[in-house]
Each structure stands twice: as C-alpha cells, then as structure tokens.
Amino acid sequence: MYCVRKVTDDLYWVGANDHRLHLFENIHPIPKGVSYNSYVLMDEKTVLFDTVDWSVCREFIENVKHVLDGRDLDYMVINHMEPDHGASVEEVLMHFPNVKIISTERSFMIMRQFGFNVDGREIEVKEGDTMKFGKHEILFVEAPMVHWPEAMVSFDTTNGVLFAADAFGTFGALDGKLFADEVNFDRDWLDDARRYYTNIVGKYGTFVQDLLKKAGTIDIKMICPLHGPVWREDLGYLIEKYDKWSRYEPEEEGVLIVYASMYGNTEHAAQALASKLCERGMTNVHVYDVSNTHVSTLISETFRFSHIVLASVTYNLEIYPIMYNYLHEMKLLNVQNRTVALMENGSWAPTSGGLMAEFLDEEMKLMDVLGTDMSISSALKETDEKDLDSLADAIIDSMKKEK
Ligand SMILES: Cc1cc2nc3c(=O)[nH]c(=O)nc-3n(C[C@H](O)[C@H](O)[C@H](O)COP(=O)(O)O)c2cc1C
Ligand SMILES: [Fe+2]
Ligand SMILES: [Fe+2]
C-alpha cells in the first residue's frame, strides 16, 4: 500500500518516515523519528528528486510506482549522495532501467565508490545549468558542504519550488503532516530543527551563507527539503533562523549553564548562580547536567543562547571528561561568538577552570571569557557568595554592553 502526498498539481512526496531508528548517523538521538523525503514530478517527462534510506526502500519504490501510474521514470535528480538519501539509487536503476541520472561530477564519483553501476546513465550538471522536462524547467545550483562536498540544490523556475537537499531540514517524522503550516513548528519542531542543523551542518556556516546568498537571487515560493516538513508559507521564518545559525549568531539573549558534577556540589553552585541571575531579572536561564544530556542537545542550546556558563569539577587534574567532550564538539562544530563564564571545583588541586579558559582561548574563535572565574573548594560556602554575585553581575553587565 502506498503512502504519498500531493505537494503541487504535478509534484508528489514519495518519501517515508522512520520511528525505528534511535540514532541518526548512529550518533544523534531522534526520539521523534525522522523522514526521508523524495519527490516525483509528473511533467511531459517524469522526474524523481533524490531517493531514501535503504531501510525504507521498499515502501519508497511502491510510492514511486503508484504516482507514476504505469508511466516509466525518465530522470532521477540526485542532489545529495549521503546514504540517507542516495542508498536506494541502485534499486531505482533496477526498477526503471531506462532512467537517466542527473547529478554533479563529484556525486557520480561517490555513487561509484558505493558500488553503483551508473555507466551510460549519467547527465552531469554544473552550477547554473538548466533542463526542461515539459512545462517545468529546473535550474541546478551547487551547494558544496551543505552537507557533503558533492551536494547541489535544484530549483524549479516554473513554479518556484526549491529542492533544498539537507538544507532547511529537521529531525522528526512527518506522520502525515507534510507541510510546515500543518504543524505548530515553533512549538513542536523548532528545537529539533535547530538540533538537526547545528549538529549536522553547523560546522559549515560559511557554505550555508554562500547558499543563502544564491537563494536570495531566485524567487523561492516553496522549500522541499530532504528531511521534515515542506515550506509553502512564511519561508522567511526558517530562512532567518538559518541565517542566524550559519553566522553563529545567538537566537536569544539568555544563559545556558552546563555543569559537570559527581557528588552534587558543582550542581548546587550552578543552581545558586541560576537563582542569582533570575533575581537580577535575567530569567531566560537554562541549566543542564552534562552527564545526563546528550551532547547534540547541548550543542543546539549553545547555538541558541548568547551566554554560556561552564561549571566543571576537576578530574585527575583535567576537565571532567564529559565536559571536555562537549567543549571538543563545540570546537568541531565551529561554535563562536559567545560570552562564556567559568566555574571550577576541586578538593586538592583545582585545574578545570584554567584548562577550560585555555581551550576556549586557544582552540576556539571569538569566545569572550569573562574575567571573574570562580573556584570552589569542594562545596559552595557563604564565603563564596561574593564570587557568585560578581559572576552574576559580570554576566548581566556584558548583556547591557551588547545592547
Ligand atoms: C576520579 C577523580 C579525580 C579527581 N581529580 C581531582 C583533581 O585532580 N584535583 C582536584 O582538586 N580534585 C579532584 N577530584 C575531586 C573533585 O573534583 C572534588 O571532590 C569536587 O569538589 C567534586 O564536586 P562535585 O560535588 O560537584 O562532584 C577528583 C575526584 C575524582 C572522583
Ligand atoms: Fe546529509
Ligand atoms: Fe540527510
């Protein structure tokens, strides 16, 4: 039985949803599932845009055949060859032996690396090339490193539909609701969209900026991404988010407090600081235990807020390993342009504060570390209160300066 949805008069969603996969890329938890989107255009020629993950290939082929309704598949456009989209290329070739593949040179190289025999079927396209399939003309735009080097996006100049590959995607299964205007995106989807973008594409902000500049020159009326809902209204909402994220600009003025604590004393200090910030009127404060929160969520929240407090115990003269891993992920994903305050704890030789400051200064870009680092000797005492107050004051003052 097929499961398809109509996108426009002659464009159909033929993708699939996946609630069984726990970890996307075997690393990021997806408690709300994920969708692999694929689209069929029914013009004088029939055109498939991207395929799906291998796990949902059978239902995908059934969907494609249902929409084709006996017609042959003439073309398959591959915008992105990562296996969550490209894994079913070979299966499409088997079911539709006459199909020609439209993609970039690098993408054909990757198809061959994965062992797909695409000889004689390639139509190689470059930046700015166009192809007409009847009523619809498609413009191909290279989008390197969004999210792999071979990536491109395809733009239907006839009706303004952008096939955006991994750009503008999100975690979360569609469960029937294909369009962003059929869900409460801001309430139910934004956190997952941010977590998807920041962890999957976050490192490549400058490439996303390049793509956004190109997108600014075409009249986009609809965005069809490879994951998550299709956008046909309020496109500016999502484009603005992408613009902020890819410039590493915080979305909100607020404080993210991430602590590493074994016996609860550093946790207590983090809570005491959160209270002091709220007392000073800054209530957009969010506290996370580094050991209990998946790092993909921490990264997403890091992209979201303007200020970060890192509170870590000292562990064998080092930063607590899980806190170190979070710092390392921040560096890998190019996090920059944040104000950071530090708290350390230790019972005999506290070193974590200095080491975190060194990491932020030497390994990362544009991280403004506030100069009032706080050191706790095992447990927070009343004599520490003035340090806690000055830390809270320094955070509030830096917010005033930014205004
Ligand atoms: C395996 C291990 C290694 C530690 N290494 C250090 C250290 O190198 N220097 C230090 O001052 N404290 C060290 N500590 C002590 C903790 O950092 C200290 O007790 C801290 O106050 C714990 O805070 P918490 O209650 O937030 O877990 C170590 C503790 C453990 C369990
Ligand atoms: Fe991808
Ligand atoms: Fe993807």
Side-chain angles (χ1 to χ4, degrees):
M1 170 64 190
Y2 63 87
C3 173
V4 305
R5 276 202 67 182
K6 208 169 180 162
V7 183
T8 68
D9 280 348
D10 48 9
L11 183 69
Y12 296 81
W13 177 86
V14 291
N17 292 293
D18 187 352
H19 278 286
R20 282 172 298 149
L21 185 72
H22 290 279
L23 295 174
F24 189 80
E25 293 181 356
N26 216 3
I27 186 166
H28 310 295
I30 42 168
K32 293 178 179 169
V34 68
S35 76
Y36 311 106
N37 298 342
S38 170
Y39 306 89
V40 170
L41 177 67
M42 298 291 286
D43 203 343
E44 281 168 32
K45 298 289 179 190
T46 58
V47 190
L48 175 71
F49 290 88
D50 292 294
T51 77
V52 296
D53 190 73
W54 181 247
S55 59
V56 291
C57 182
R58 285 195 79 200
E59 61 181 284
F60 156 71
I61 294 286
E62 204 168 343
N63 290 345
V64 174
K65 287 193 170 167
H66 170 76
V67 169
L68 288 174
D69 194 23
R71 289 180 65 184
D72 198 7
L73 182 65
D74 299 309
Y75 297 99
M76 164 163 60
V77 173
I78 295 296
N79 287 304
H80 184 23
M81 244 323 276
E82 190 173 9
D84 55 334
H85 312 292
S88 303
V89 162
E90 194 172 43
E91 197 76 5
V92 172
L93 298 180
M94 279 161 54
H95 284 270
F96 303 101
N98 302 316
V99 71
K100 292 264 188 279
I101 311 171
I102 301 166
S103 202
T104 61
E105 183 186 3
R106 272 191 136 148
S107 184
F108 285 119
M109 189 186 81
I110 293 174
M111 284 178 217
R112 291 198 168 87
Q113 282 180 18
F114 279 112
F116 300 162
N117 180 6
V118 294
D119 289 352
R121 302 170 186 267
E122 313 113 284
I123 300 177
E124 195 182 300
V125 287
K126 291 195 176 65
E127 173 82 14
D129 286 354
T130 56
M131 272 185 82
K132 223 168 159 36
F133 299 103
K135 199 171 90 186
H136 294 266
E137 184 193 56
I138 305 287
L139 166 72
F140 302 100
V141 178
E142 289 175 8
M145 298 325 294
V146 186
H147 143 237
W148 273 19
E150 87 303 351
M152 66 171 186
V153 298
S154 305
F155 180 64
D156 188 332
T157 57
T158 317
N159 59 3
V161 172
L162 178 70
F163 298 95
D166 269 344
F168 305 113
T170 171
F171 293 139
L174 296 168
D175 301 342
K177 303 168 291 289
L178 177 63
F179 297 99
D181 53 273
E182 294 174 332
V183 301
N184 187 333
F185 195 88
D186 207 62
R187 188 190 66 194
D188 299 333
W189 286 76
L190 179 60
D191 285 346
D192 265 328
R194 187 188 303 107
R195 197 163 59 86
Y196 166 86
Y197 170 81
T198 56
N199 286 279
I200 305 290
V201 199
K203 181 179 178 67
Y204 304 112
T206 51
F207 294 94
V208 175
Q209 278 291 312
D210 289 347
L211 180 62
L212 287 174
K213 277 192 201 98
K214 288 187 200 174
T217 64
I218 51 184
D219 187 14
I220 303 170
K221 298 226 165 48
M222 192 183 283
I223 299 176
C224 292
L226 287 178
H227 304 283
V230 167
W231 290 77
R232 61 184 173 184
E233 284 175 16
D234 205 9
L235 273 51
Y237 168 92
L238 189 65
I239 292 172
E240 195 199 309
K241 296 283 181 208
Y242 259 72
D243 187 39
K244 275 212 168 126
W245 295 333
S246 57
R247 282 189 284 117
Y248 303 96
E249 258 190 30
E251 250 170 285
E252 296 172 27
E253 181 174 79
V255 187
L256 167 68
I257 303 179
V258 180
Y259 67 82
S261 180
M262 296 173 286
Y263 319 116
N265 294 291
T266 313
E267 176 181 19
H268 179 62
Q271 290 292 349
L273 179 65
S275 292
K276 290 210 176 274
L277 288 166
C278 291
E279 260 169 15
R280 285 160 173 75
M282 170 35 73
T283 50
N284 197 14
V285 174
H286 302 260
V287 180
Y288 289 95
D289 181 340
V290 80
S291 302
N292 289 337
T293 314
H294 194 271
V295 69
S296 67
T297 298
L298 296 177
I299 288 295
S300 182
E301 294 291 79
T302 307
F303 271 74
R304 182 173 161 203
F305 295 112
S306 57
H307 288 64
I308 306 163
V309 178
L310 304 174
S312 178
V313 294
T314 305
Y315 198 84
N316 295 333
L317 295 177
E318 298 283 344
I319 303 165
Y320 193 63
I322 306 174
M323 179 64 90
Y324 183 81
N325 179 57
Y326 163 48
L327 277 162
H328 184 64
E329 284 274 332
M330 274 199 238
K331 176 190 161 183
L332 289 183
L333 293 166
N334 245 332
V335 170
Q336 49 190 280
N337 197 22
R338 293 294 184 277
T339 305
V340 188
L342 302 172
M343 285 204 255
E344 71 176 4
N345 192 353
S347 290
W348 59 90
T351 59
S352 53
L355 291 170
M356 289 192 290
E358 206 176 288
F359 189 96
L360 292 162
D361 184 45
E362 289 173 12
E363 306 280 337
M364 296 180 67
K365 281 181 257 169
L366 300 170
M367 299 301 264
D368 186 10
V369 182
L370 296 174
T372 50
D373 310 349
M374 181 165 173
S375 192
I376 301 160
S377 300
S378 297
L380 198 65
K381 289 168 277 295
E382 290 208 356
T383 46
D384 293 314
E385 186 164 17
K386 61 176 187 344
D387 283 351
L388 209 55
D389 277 323
S390 33
L391 198 57
D393 287 338
I395 292 168
I396 301 290
D397 284 350
S398 78
M399 286 178 174
K400 286 186 198 140
K401 266 186 224 140
E402 277 164 19
K403 284 202 172 124

